[in-house]
Amino acid sequence: MSRMNRRGSKSSADATAKIRAIGQRATPGRVRVLSLLGTVPRGLTHQDIETALARSGEGPMDRVTLYRVLDSLVSAGLVLRQADESRVFRFSAAGQAEAHAAHAHFRCDGCGRVFCLEAPPPAAPALPDGFRLSRMSLDLRGACRDCAAKRRAG
Amino acid sequence: MSRMNRRGSKSSADATAKIRAIGQRATPGRVRVLSLLGTVPRGLTHQDIETALARSGEGPMDRVTLYRVLDSLVSAGLVLRQADESRVFRFSAAGQAEAHAAHAHFRCDGCGRVFCLEAPPPAAPALPDGFRLSRMSLDLRGACRDCAAKRRAG
DNA sequence: CAACAAAATGCAACAGAGTTGCATATGCAA
DNA sequence: TTGCATATGCAACTCTGTTGCATTTTGTTG
């Protein structure tokens, strides 16, 4: 760890590289957000991220700037955005979702976490003539154990 | 048709019965909304419903009242509510959504159109204990006929 | 290394979807 | 028909996300 200076950790360097790779400027905001999302295995809300950044050593980030940072990462394909059950957006690092594209996953509508399932790959259905298939995914949605319990409780 | 009086159609009577069956008052608003949702094969937004009701012979319904009518139908289980991609709620009569979820979708990465496929859905894989499944979708992605041809051409 | 243009940031004001409080009206059971 | 729990209508509010614009920063060029 002695080689890590105040500019950041390995995940920062990693994030910087990814952002540059897709031709965008590696600003502090983008690097901070992308490396944060890379360390967390589930979708975070804008507010989650804002809070986490404010607590971190480098201080808070403007609300609007954070929205715009997220927009740019999403449109670059580095981050995924989806609306959860209570209609707030959840953001997650794209690599984490795509790495698991081979098998089925379960997404909790409550907390946004994604669970991988050991499912047999379903056979691809017949496509209309001329169509070309590039990817196929079996997506299950519902409530994970924690959220299902929470909802029953009240 | 001569047996239908000015109070409404078969779907109204049907809706009235369903609402009474679960122990709620069959108010005009509830009946109108539930029978509207019963005639439409997809999720409608609050605004869709508001507009449709305003155009219908019986005149508009208050915005807030409509929200509350939808709430009561949802909590009674007669209507399903889910946030769409742009984080607005879509409401559908319970039963229709399940029918629609029962097949696979193909989304074209070129033009963004979505095609419904007549494919038998694969069996749901086993979920970890305590998890609750609400929806399952088999999503295929690739190029539709038009976009595949276009890509070959130029 | 300095200057520069394009892009990102911060702030304030705005927009749309959904919710709450409260006075009034109404469905339905006795 | 009456009583009252429940539903309605209105206004004001909250929360998530957006837009406009002046200022600062990034990465490049000379």
Side-chain angles (χ1 to χ4, degrees), chain B residues 53-121:
Chain B
L53 293 179
R55 281 205 234 285
S56 86
E58 288 152 84
M61 179 180 318
D62 180 74
R63 215 173 70 85
V64 176
T65 300
L66 177 53
Y67 274 115
R68 290 200 264 232
V69 161
L70 288 166
D71 279 350
S72 71
L73 294 175
V74 166
S75 67
L78 294 174
V79 164
L80 294 181
R81 184 182 79 169
Q82 52 195 109
D84 75 5
E85 292 302 301
S86 47
R87 67 180 218 105
V88 329
F89 286 137
R90 286 185 178 269
F91 300 88
S92 52
Q96 306 231 3
E98 286 138 28
H100 187 254
H103 58 260
H105 297 97
F106 179 93
R107 186 153 81 85
C108 176
D109 287 326
C111 60
R113 279 184 294 177
V114 173
F115 304 82
C116 294
L117 304 178
E118 297 302 330

Side-chain angles (χ1 to χ4, degrees), chain A residues 132-135, chain B residues 106-115 140-144 147 151:
Chain A
R132 273 197 339 214
L133 182 65
S134 66
R135 275 186 298 161
Chain B
F106 179 93
R107 186 153 81 85
C108 176
D109 287 326
C111 60
R113 279 184 294 177
V114 173
F115 304 82
L140 311 180
R141 300 181 50 164
C144 70
C147 291
R151 208 176 307 172

